Amino acid sequence: MKQIPVTKRASQIEYAIRDVVVPAAALEAQGHSIIKLNIGDPLAYPGLPTPNHMVEAYQKAIYDQKNGYSPAYGIEELRVAISENEHNKSNGGWNCEPNDVYICHGVTEALQIIFASYLDKGDEVLSPGPHYPPYMAYPQVFGGKTIEYKLDSENGWAIDIDDLRSKMNDRVKLLVLINPNNPTGNVITKTELDQIIDLVSQYENCTIISDEIYDRLNFNENHISTASRSKKVPIITLNGVSKVYYAPGWRIGYMAFHDPTHNSKEVRDGIERMLRSRICASTPAQYGYLAGLNGNDDWMSGYLEMIKERNEFCVKRINNIEGLSVERPQGAFYMFVKLVDPYWNANDKEFVLKLLNQKYVLAVHGSGFSKNYGKGHFRIVFLPKKEILNEAMNRIEEFLIESRH
Amino acid sequence: MKQIPVTKRASQIEYAIRDVVVPAAALEAQGHSIIKLNIGDPLAYPGLPTPNHMVEAYQKAIYDQKNGYSPAYGIEELRVAISENEHNKSNGGWNCEPNDVYICHGVTEALQIIFASYLDKGDEVLSPGPHYPPYMAYPQVFGGKTIEYKLDSENGWAIDIDDLRSKMNDRVKLLVLINPNNPTGNVITKTELDQIIDLVSQYENCTIISDEIYDRLNFNENHISTASRSKKVPIITLNGVSKVYYAPGWRIGYMAFHDPTHNSKEVRDGIERMLRSRICASTPAQYGYLAGLNGNDDWMSGYLEMIKERNEFCVKRINNIEGLSVERPQGAFYMFVKLVDPYWNANDKEFVLKLLNQKYVLAVHGSGFSKNYGKGHFRIVFLPKKEILNEAMNRIEEFLIESRH
C-alpha cells in the first residue's frame, strides 16, 4: 500500500535509550529475565522509592479534588518553592523570582518549548558530546542543528574548552550544559563555568541551557548552579522531581529564567504563549513535588550514600575487567564505559545487542549518545543492588572473554 | 535592551481562552470576584467532582510506588481498556486494538505530535470554524496552515459540506472534526459523517482527526464515532480523561489509529519515535483513568442530567435577552452566543472585555475561536450552578441595556 508520507523531523528522531527496549521486550516475551541497566529510573530498582511525605501530599491533592486545570505556568506555591530553592542553593544561589519559573511535563516539554521559541532554520545548538539524546533529536524538529562540543574522555569527561570555543559563532542561539552530565557523570567546576560564561558573553544572542536535573546527585558536594555565576549571559535552568526526588513517572519539571540584562523578554513572551496553549502540567502532581521541596530532606543523604557505594563498586569492578575502563562519575547515576578492544570499540551497538541476546544484560550503546564522541562506549545505570550489579559485571566479563577477537 | 529574537512560530500563538485570564486576574488582584464562564473545566464548579473510584485508584497507584516511567505508548492495561471502549461504543464501535492506542499528556500533546509527523511547509489542515484554538495555533509551528471550513450558524452549527468540499485539495493532509464541537455544541449526524468520509476518500493522503473528547457529553444520545464509519480513510480518534471523566488536571489523553488500508505505517513510525523521545505520560494518573474506564459508569448519567438542565436553562434565558441569540447545543458544555447588535457583532472582544470590567463576568470572544466564522459571538461554559448562571445572565442583560448603541 502506498504510504502517507511522514515528515523528516519525525522519522529521523532517535532515542537510543528507549530504542534498545524493543529487542529486550522480545526476549522477555520469550521468557528470559533481563538485567536492565538502560533506563535512568530509580523507581525501577528496589530500595529507592518516592518518599512518603511526597506520596501523601500527592494523594491528598487528588482527594481534595485538585483535579482541575492549574495555571499554565504552574501553581503559585510550587513556583515560590522552586524560586526559594534556586535562591538558597548550597554552593551559591541566584536571584530567582517565582515569575521566573515555569512548570512543565518534565524537562522534556521544557526543551521542546525552548527550542520552538529560539530556533529558526540555520540556528545552532551546542551540546556536549556525549549528551542526553533529546538535545540532538529536538533542535532539528524546528529547523535548528545540534553541533557537539567535546567532552574529554581522558580527563573525567571534562568540557574541552578549546573545542567549545572553536565552535562558537553568531548562529549559536543555545549552548547546553548538562551538569552533572548524563551519560558521563562529570560535574563542571567553578573555573570551567566562569570560562564558559565569559566565552558566551562575547556573543549577544546566545543563551545557556543549564540542565541540572541531577544537581543533588553530586558525590563531592561541588555542584554549582550556572545561573549563580552569570552577571550578563541569560541562563535557563532545568530541573524537576524526576531524579533527585525519585519520582520520574510524575512528569513534573521546570525551566527557570535568569535574565540579568533583560534581553529575553520577547522569547519569554513566546514561551509563555506556548505554555498557555497547552493548558498546564499535572495539577495534583505539582503538590507532590511541592511537599518534596518544602519538607525535611534528611532522607536524601541516605539515598545518596547508597548510590555512591554502588558507584564505587562499579568503578572498581569495571576497571578490573580486561577490555573495559571507566572514568569515575562525580554525579548522576550513569557510567559511560569505554570498550578497549578495537573491534568492540568500533562496534558499540553490536556489543550492546549481543550482550543482550547472549547474557541478558541491557545497556545502551555509546553512539546513541553521540556520533562523534560516544562511539566505543556503552552507558549503564548503577542503581541496582550490588548483587545485581555484580551479576551484571560477571556476565559482561564472561561475554568479553567468550567473544574475544 | 536589544532583545534576543523569538521565533514567529512562538510569538504568533494565540490561545484566547487563557489570554482573557490576564485582565481577569488583574481585577481579582484588586479584590473583585469574577463569575468565570471561560474555562471548560468541570472541576472549577461545585457539584462535578472526579468520581471517588477514580480518585482511589490514582491514590493507590502512587502509594504502590507506580511513580517510575511507564512504557512510552502507555501502560498496557489502559491501552486494552481504551481499545475495548472504542470497540463497544453504543452507536457503533470500531475494531481498535491495544496497539492502536497511544497515551499522551492530554489531547494537546497528541495534536502536537500528529502535526509534527504529518505537516511540511505548504501542507494544509482543514478545521471547523469556529474551533478549539490549538487547531489554528499548532499547524503553523510545523510550517503547515489551517484553513477553516464553515459551520452554519443558522443551522445548529452543522458542517457546511459544500464549503468543506470547496476547500479540499491534495495539500490537505489532515481534516479535523470536533464532535461534539467546542465551542458550538454541534453533534455530527451519521449522514454527515458518511458524506465527509466519502469526500475525503477521494484524496489519497488525507487523514481525519476526530476529536471526540466530549463524546459522552451528548444530550440526544446520537454521537457516532467517526472511525466506525470509515472503511478506507484513516481516522485518528482523540479522547481522554479530561471532560467525560471529570479530571482535566490529570493531563491524560490518547490518540487511537484506525488505518483500514494500512497506509499510515510510516507516519505511525514517526509518531512512535516522537513518543519514545519524550519518555511517557504520567504513570500513576493512567491508573486513575483506567479505573474510570473499567468501573461502573452509572454515576455519569447523574452528571449528564445536571449539565443538560443547565444547558436548557441557559438556552431559554439567552434567547429571551434582547441582543442575544443561541443555537441549542447538543453536546459538550459550551454555548456560542450570537451578539445581534451590529456594534457588538463587529466588536466581540471589546464586548467581552467591557463585560468583564463592568459586570465581572468572564466569557471568551468568538473571534478567538475563528477569525472568519466566530466573529460576533462569545463562548460561555454552562457548568456553574443555576443560581450563578442566572446571576451571570442578569449581568449580561444589564450590560447590554446599559451599553445600548
Side-chain angles (χ1 to χ4, degrees), chain A residues 72-73 102 109 113 116-117 255 257 265-280, chain B residues 6-20 22 108 112 133-134 137-138 140-141 349 371:
Chain A
Y73 313 152
Y102 304 102
E109 191 200 28
I113 291 176
S117 303
M255 55 178 135
F257 265 86
K265 285 181 192 168
E266 290 181 8
V267 276
R268 285 182 65 173
D269 176 70
I271 284 171
E272 291 182 351
R273 284 171 181 274
M274 299 205 85
L275 286 166
R276 291 200 296 271
S277 77
R278 82 6 164 174
I279 313 181
C280 65
Chain B
V6 58
T7 60
K8 253 180 81 174
R9 81 172 74 82
S11 67
Q12 71 192 12
I13 283 189
E14 286 188 27
Y15 187 69
I17 301 165
R18 290 244 155 176
D19 292 349
V20 293
V22 179
T108 309
Q112 293 168 345
Y138 289 150
Q140 58 87 24
V141 168
K349 190 165 184 185
K371 295 244 149 48

Side-chain angles (χ1 to χ4, degrees), chain A residues 135-373:
Chain A
Y135 289 104
M136 181 63 70
Y138 289 151
Q140 58 85 23
V141 169
F142 304 106
K145 193 178 167 187
T146 299
I147 314 281
E148 296 180 80
Y149 62 86
K150 184 181 173 185
L151 303 184
D152 187 349
S153 65
E154 308 291 313
N155 182 25
W157 296 102
I159 293 171
D160 182 330
I161 305 273
D162 291 332
D163 185 73
L164 174 60
R165 184 177 293 112
S166 74
K167 289 166 179 170
M168 281 297 298
N169 66 65
D170 289 325
R171 293 185 303 277
V172 177
K173 292 289 166 61
L174 296 162
L175 165 66
V176 176
L177 304 177
I178 307 175
N179 184 25
N181 184 271
N182 170 8
T184 70
N186 175 262
V187 172
I188 305 174
T189 66
K190 190 183 283 187
T191 311
E192 290 165 336
L193 274 183
D194 289 348
Q195 281 182 292
I196 293 163
I197 291 167
D198 183 59
L199 171 62
V200 172
S201 72
Q202 296 158 35
Y203 297 84
E204 67 176 352
N205 285 333
C206 187
T207 297
I208 295 178
I209 295 179
S210 188
D211 180 343
E212 302 180 12
I213 190 84
Y214 300 98
D215 62 345
R216 296 183 70 180
L217 285 157
N218 161 33
F219 309 145
N220 306 316
E221 297 183 6
N222 62 343
H223 179 268
I224 295 160
S225 76
T226 308
S228 73
R229 304 301 303 167
S230 175
K231 297 201 176 68
K232 189 177 156 204
V233 175
I235 314 287
I236 308 174
T237 301
L238 303 179
N239 209 330
V241 79
S242 293
K243 310 296 181 178
V244 169
Y245 289 92
Y246 301 87
W250 294 5
R251 314 307 295 119
I252 297 291
Y254 67 84
M255 55 178 135
F257 265 86
H258 176 54
D259 181 20
T261 69
H262 308 290
N263 70 349
S264 306
K265 285 181 192 168
E266 290 181 8
V267 276
R268 285 182 65 173
D269 176 70
I271 284 171
E272 291 182 351
R273 284 171 181 274
M274 299 205 85
L275 286 166
R276 291 200 296 271
S277 77
R278 82 6 164 174
I279 313 181
C280 65
S282 163
T283 303
Q286 293 183 59
Y287 288 93
Y289 186 23
L290 180 65
L293 286 166
N294 286 348
N296 184 307
D297 60 6
D298 290 348
W299 61 273
M300 217 180 259
S301 56
Y303 282 54
L304 188 61
E305 279 314 308
M306 211 186 287
I307 291 171
K308 280 163 78 169
E309 268 180 40
R310 293 170 193 185
N311 181 29
E312 290 303 319
F313 176 78
C314 286
V315 168
K316 268 192 205 133
R317 279 283 335 241
I318 288 169
N319 283 330
N320 281 321
I321 293 176
E322 207 185 318
L324 300 182
S325 77
V326 70
E327 298 284 306
R328 178 186 307 275
Q330 305 158 54
F333 39 61
Y334 308 101
M335 234 166 246
F336 207 58
V337 183
K338 184 173 181 178
L339 290 158
V340 176
D341 174 281
Y343 181 81
W344 289 132
N345 193 274
N347 296 283
D348 56 1
K349 191 164 184 185
E350 184 187 338
F351 174 85
V352 161
L353 291 174
K354 287 202 165 151
L355 179 66
L356 171 65
N357 278 291
Q358 293 177 28
K359 297 293 177 185
Y360 309 116
V361 174
L362 181 57
V364 186
H365 46 294
S367 49
F369 296 88
S370 165
K371 296 242 150 50
N372 300 307
Y373 306 110

Side-chain angles (χ1 to χ4, degrees), chain B residues 104-144:
Chain B
C104 296
H105 299 302
V107 160
T108 309
E109 192 200 28
L111 285 179
Q112 293 168 345
I113 291 176
I114 292 167
F115 292 139
S117 304
Y118 279 86
L119 299 180
D120 271 322
K121 203 170 157 65
D123 288 340
E124 294 178 2
V125 177
L126 292 190
S127 289
H131 53 259
Y132 179 59
Y135 289 105
M136 181 62 70
Y138 289 150
Q140 58 87 24
V141 168
F142 304 106

Side-chain angles (χ1 to χ4, degrees), chain A residues 84-117:
Chain A
E84 287 171 355
N85 188 52
E86 290 292 341
H87 203 278
N88 300 326
K89 290 220 156 155
S90 56
N91 295 314
W94 57 283
N95 185 26
C96 180
E97 299 291 330
N99 283 343
D100 296 325
V101 177
Y102 304 102
I103 313 297
C104 296
H105 298 302
V107 160
T108 310
E109 191 200 28
L111 285 179
Q112 292 168 345
I113 291 176
I114 292 166
F115 293 139
S117 303

Side-chain angles (χ1 to χ4, degrees), chain B residues 5 182 238 279:
Chain B
N182 169 9
L238 304 179
I279 312 183

